[in-house]
Amino acid sequence: MLEMLPYPSGKLHMGHVRNYAIGDALARYMWMRGYNVLHPMGWDAFGLPAENAALKAGRDPYEWTFSNIAHMKSQMQRLGFALDWNREIASCEPEYYRWNQWFFLKMFERGLAYRKEALLNWCPECATVLANEQVVNGCCWRHETTPVEQRAMQQWFLKTTAYAAELLNDIKELESGWPERVLAMQRNWIGRSEGAEVDFSLPGSAEKIRVFTTRIDTIYGATCVILAPEHPLVKELVTGEAERLEIKEMIDAAARQDLGNLEKIGFFSGRYAIHPFDGREVPIWIANFVLLGYGTGAIMAVPAHDERDFEFCRAYGIPVVPVIRPVDGPLADGDTMAEPYVEYGIVENSGEWSGLPSAEARKKMAAFASAHGFGTEAVTYRIKDWGISRQRYWGTPIPIVYCPRCGAVPVPEEDLPVRLPLGLKITGQGESPLKRVPSFMNVACPKCGEPGTRESDTMDTFVDSSWYFYRYCDPRNDTAPFDSAIVARWFPIDQYIGGITHAILHLIYSRFWTKVMRDLGLITNNEPAKNLFTQGMVLKDGSAMSKSKGNVVDPDDMVDKYGADTCRLYTLFAAPPEKDMDWNESSVEGQHRFLTRLFRFITCNAGRPGDGGSRDGDRQGLRKLHHTMRKITNDFDSRWHFNTSIAALMELLNELYQLEARLSTKAMNEICNCVTLLLAPFAPYTAQDLWETLGHEGPVFRQPWPMFDPELAKEELAEIPVQVNGKLRGHIQAPFGSSKEELQRVVLANEKVKPFVQGKQIVKVVLVPDRLVNIVVK
RNA sequence: GCCCGGGUGGCGAAAUAGGCAGACGCAAAGGACUUAAAAUCCUUUUCGCCGCAAGGCGAGUGCGGGUUCAAGUCCCGCCCCGGGCACCA
């Protein structure tokens, strides 16, 4: 049982409470069912807010983080979450992050960690680089109104693209246990696209322009080749100073604006490329809508059959040449067509391929290109390598030393961890804070011993959370990240629970890390978690709770006012766990009322002397009890709709108050015991208290889960609704398994039903055994 | 634009395999207890119509069609809301 570990921001919020209340109910239920449950907790303790606190309040990030951890831990304990604190980890401790560094070195050895200069997203507000995943609508994910800028920097990358195909294919393994929504988002993020790469050669040069296309069948309609402004060849093709400025402006403008509705602009480079199929010379353009980061950073423009190319070419007067016609129609006229024809069809005006259907032409033309050495079938992914460098202090130092002679040298394993120096003054200026710590920076090259300098950037905190759950299995290991044999016993995670917000970032990095660890021979599982559950958000007045909106409900206040059990019960009752829920305080009081009512019932009736019961009352009480046990067990075993489980307990209690005087001592005791056990996963404090009141000892959640007896849960008579022409007209009671003839006789004799049937012809009698009778009359 | 969710009383919701729509809770109204209040308990509460009343009749799950003895649930076509992706060649 694993819930996503929190960032120690200071206080728990209601989203945490909900997440952990769900997980805790399940963990307790599984214990009671006799499973050996590992239910750990830790802290995603590196990150920007610690530095911001240092900046704003002068707090030391280390001290700030650990005082937050202490507070949040006490909150969790107060809420009564049954967590194994012996396995607690905090990612900012060297005992933990040294293994981040160790993994980095392993990836470096295998070429999975590399350094390159790249244009990266720079948030002026954070003064740091952002991962693509952290850019929302062209703005920073933390400063949603701050546009991201482009800067070229030397950055460390992890080669997630090396696992792109596997990350996509293995989604199959997750289909039964992960929400379809999350898988869809991941598929989309990985973005596999099948097509071909084709070279357009440059006259009088060895250079070629390689383009990626999914529609090689349209290649005879290519009327120009377009390069992304950042494309390396642009520097060679464009020599004029004015043009170069224009390109620079294009890049900056693209970075400033929302990419979606950027106007397509471009210009002719003055050069031509040779069409590989028909040898035509086509002009080379440079345009802002071609992305360097996707495919080859260059395209062939086929305006007749692509919407973007059409828009661009029409705007710049580049010819439109249709080469695909609909299966049942003629070829369009390029000069007059108002929109491109983007469907598949029949290839025309394309030399020997004319007459072929698109699908066939795609394969054959790619094979031809391949055979003649100017192209190949190709698969492109949208997912990019993971840039992990952050110009930040409060993160894992990247274990690299730069030596003037040897270059980037990995720190030897035995020298790990590269410790983060403590007691630093944070200024919030752009460069990495570590640069200003000479005792950290200056170090001998591990290879040649000459003076070198350390890498001053730290790792993205998503690194910390990519593998933390493995560490829970063996949290104090100081010779390896964990013992593989111990991990093999527990993994994969049976149930992971967390917010939908992590559907791509954390969950895709974790999957990547798992695959890398598997290839390192550390683990045997292919995926980190068999089952994933994403709980809904906790809202207040229809929007997410946030300090800026001033609508935050503090769990501490709730616990002070109503107690932990009420707080937990409410988060489980207000909505099914996967749905967003709106916080409603008066509804919280309802849960409190229920708990007091239940408490009163049991304390008043526990060990009640005498035997005032009746056979009938006992039977009715036990029937309702077993019915409730069946309902709740069922909810736990299938879809976790604890709102209905709690409603069932309420129903039971309502009925018990009706039956109170008619229950024997024996039945009453059994009922009180079982109700207490049924309550235990949701409201552990109250349940424990009641358990002791009932004269028992020891933890209530170490008791076996009360299993229902199907016979006892059964009603004696079935209450069967009777319809006439599909409209409800009455009810009858009949023994279970009554025959059609019997039922029909009873139904037709029924006073309520008679008037609707009399004088009419019975066409048909529909009978669902024990459930419904419908008489069709004319 | 594409891909996911979702739309049921005044509100949160329930109806798990096509079979009694609105369980359970909140809020509201009335009543009991109380000097009073709180707490607690009881009653009413989808809408419209008929009835002094017990009760009865009709409509009703975003809209329009369809399948079926029977549709909140299945099919077709729309509308609205939320989320994700969005020049991905």
Side-chain angles (χ1 to χ4, degrees), chain A residues 660-731:
Chain A
E660 203 169 4
R662 295 167 53 209
L663 291 169
S664 68
T665 304
K666 185 164 174 279
M668 180 63 88
N669 281 343
E670 188 187 339
I671 289 170
C672 289
N673 282 338
C674 286
V675 167
T676 302
L677 294 172
L678 291 174
L679 182 72
F682 311 115
Y685 284 113
T686 310
Q688 183 62 40
D689 203 330
L690 290 173
W691 190 242
E692 287 163 27
T693 304
L694 288 164
H696 307 290
E697 284 177 7
V700 64
F701 70 89
R702 292 297 184 196
Q703 293 297 315
W705 182 251
M707 290 309 284
F708 65 93
D709 178 341
E711 285 307 309
L712 281 175
K714 225 183 207 170
E715 302 287 334
E716 274 159 40
L717 290 176
E719 169 112 343
I720 301 176
V722 180
Q723 299 178 338
V724 177
N725 285 350
K727 288 197 168 118
L728 184 69
R729 296 303 178 188
H731 289 92

Side-chain angles (χ1 to χ4, degrees), chain A residues 239-275:
Chain A
T239 47
E241 201 51 43
E243 285 86 351
R244 285 197 169 170
L245 272 174
E246 200 171 333
I247 289 166
K248 174 90 176 63
E249 177 51 31
M250 212 185 263
I251 294 170
D252 286 346
R256 276 196 300 273
Q257 278 191 39
D258 192 357
L259 248 66
N261 34 36
L262 195 64
E263 192 199 348
K264 289 182 180 51
I265 53 170
F267 63 90
F268 177 44
S269 69
R271 302 278 299 272
Y272 292 82
I274 295 164
H275 191 292

Side-chain angles (χ1 to χ4, degrees), chain A residues 461-508:
Chain A
T461 57
F462 278 107
V463 169
D464 310 326
S465 55
S466 288
W467 67 280
Y468 74 98
F469 28 74
Y470 292 97
R471 184 73 178 170
Y472 284 141
C473 295
D474 191 12
R476 309 289 168 247
N477 196 325
D478 60 3
T479 56
F482 48 77
D483 182 315
S484 294
I486 298 174
V487 163
R489 272 212 298 283
W490 288 104
F491 268 77
I493 299 159
D494 291 293
Q495 187 63 60
Y496 197 17
I497 307 175
I500 184 72
T501 37
H502 296 106
I504 23 192
L505 315 183
H506 163 56
L507 288 171
I508 228 164

Side-chain angles (χ1 to χ4, degrees), chain A residues 616-633:
Chain A
D616 205 44
D618 281 2
R619 196 178 301 136
Q620 207 178 324
L622 288 174
R623 186 186 302 135
K624 188 69 182 176
L625 174 70
H626 281 263
H627 190 84
T628 308
M629 293 197 282
R630 181 174 62 193
K631 166 75 185 148
I632 297 177
T633 304

Side-chain angles (χ1 to χ4, degrees), chain A residues 365-378:
Chain A
M365 293 169 86
F368 179 85
S370 181
H372 290 77
F374 63 80
T376 172
E377 281 188 22

Side-chain angles (χ1 to χ4, degrees), chain A residues 27 63 110 130 146 248 331 399 502 519 590 601 670-671 698 741:
Chain A
E63 184 269 324
R110 284 164 173 72
L130 302 173
T146 306
K248 174 90 176 63
L331 205 59
H502 296 106
D519 290 348
F601 182 85
E670 188 187 339
I671 289 170
E741 290 72 28

Side-chain angles (χ1 to χ4, degrees), chain A residues 441-734:
Chain A
M441 291 301 288
N442 299 327
V443 66
C445 169
K447 223 185 227 170
C448 69
E450 290 291 305
T453 52
R454 285 195 193 279
E455 167 66 60
S456 60
D457 287 353
T458 55
M459 297 184 197
D460 182 3
T461 57
F462 278 107
V463 169
D464 310 326
S465 55
S466 288
W467 67 280
Y468 74 98
F469 28 74
Y470 292 97
R471 184 73 178 170
Y472 284 141
C473 295
D474 191 12
R476 309 289 168 247
N477 196 325
D478 60 3
T479 56
F482 48 77
D483 182 315
S484 294
I486 298 174
V487 163
R489 272 212 298 283
W490 288 104
F491 268 77
I493 299 159
D494 291 293
Q495 187 63 60
Y496 197 17
I497 307 175
I500 184 72
T501 37
H502 296 106
I504 23 192
L505 315 183
H506 163 56
L507 288 171
I508 228 164
Y509 293 143
S510 300
R511 294 184 59 219
F512 162 73
W513 212 277
T514 288
K515 289 172 193 307
V516 171
M517 281 169 38
R518 179 205 56 201
D519 290 348
L520 288 170
L522 295 170
I523 54 172
T524 51
N525 52 298
N526 213 18
E527 289 289 341
K530 261 192 283 198
N531 297 295
L532 171 73
F533 186 90
T534 50
Q535 96 269 8
M537 290 191 301
V538 181
L539 310 174
K540 182 76 206 283
D541 309 321
S543 55
M545 291 186 189
S546 71
K547 274 188 203 144
S548 58
K549 290 201 190 86
N551 63 351
V552 176
V553 178
D554 187 344
D556 278 342
D557 296 344
M558 288 296 122
V559 175
D560 287 345
K561 202 163 164 190
Y562 302 104
D565 281 353
T566 297
C567 188
R568 295 174 57 154
L569 211 54
Y570 172 69
T571 62
L572 297 175
F573 179 77
E578 74 279 5
K579 260 189 80 169
D580 289 352
M581 60 174 272
D582 207 285
W583 191 269
N584 174 341
E585 179 132 358
S586 56
S587 192
V588 178
E589 286 179 27
Q591 299 310 302
H592 191 66
R593 240 180 331 245
F594 163 65
L595 276 182
T596 13
R597 217 162 106 84
L598 177 62
F599 191 85
R600 201 167 50 231
F601 182 85
I602 293 184
T603 47
C604 289
N605 287 294
R608 190 181 62 178
D611 191 336
S614 70
R615 247 190 121 77
D616 205 44
D618 281 2
R619 196 178 301 136
Q620 207 178 324
L622 288 174
R623 186 186 302 135
K624 188 69 182 176
L625 174 70
H626 281 263
H627 190 84
T628 308
M629 293 197 282
R630 181 174 62 193
K631 166 75 185 148
I632 297 177
T633 304
N634 210 351
D635 279 338
F636 269 114
D637 291 343
S638 57
R639 47 176 203 169
W640 310 353
H641 279 199
F642 302 134
N643 52 332
T644 62
S645 307
I646 294 164
L649 274 176
M650 289 171 168
E651 258 184 89
L652 172 61
L653 183 64
N654 290 344
E655 187 153 331
L656 289 176
Y657 268 106
Q658 299 301 312
L659 288 171
E660 203 169 4
R662 295 167 53 209
L663 291 169
S664 68
T665 304
K666 185 164 174 279
M668 180 63 88
N669 281 343
E670 188 187 339
I671 289 170
C672 289
N673 282 338
C674 286
V675 167
T676 302
L677 294 172
L678 291 174
L679 182 72
F682 311 115
Y685 284 113
T686 310
Q688 183 62 40
D689 203 330
L690 290 173
W691 190 242
E692 287 163 27
T693 304
L694 288 164
H696 307 290
E697 284 177 7
V700 64
F701 70 89
R702 292 297 184 196
Q703 293 297 315
W705 182 251
M707 290 309 284
F708 65 93
D709 178 341
E711 285 307 309
L712 281 175
K714 225 183 207 170
E715 302 287 334
E716 274 159 40
L717 290 176
E719 169 112 343
I720 301 176
V722 180
Q723 299 178 338
V724 177
N725 285 350
K727 288 197 168 118
L728 184 69
R729 296 303 178 188
H731 289 92
I732 55 162
Q733 291 191 327

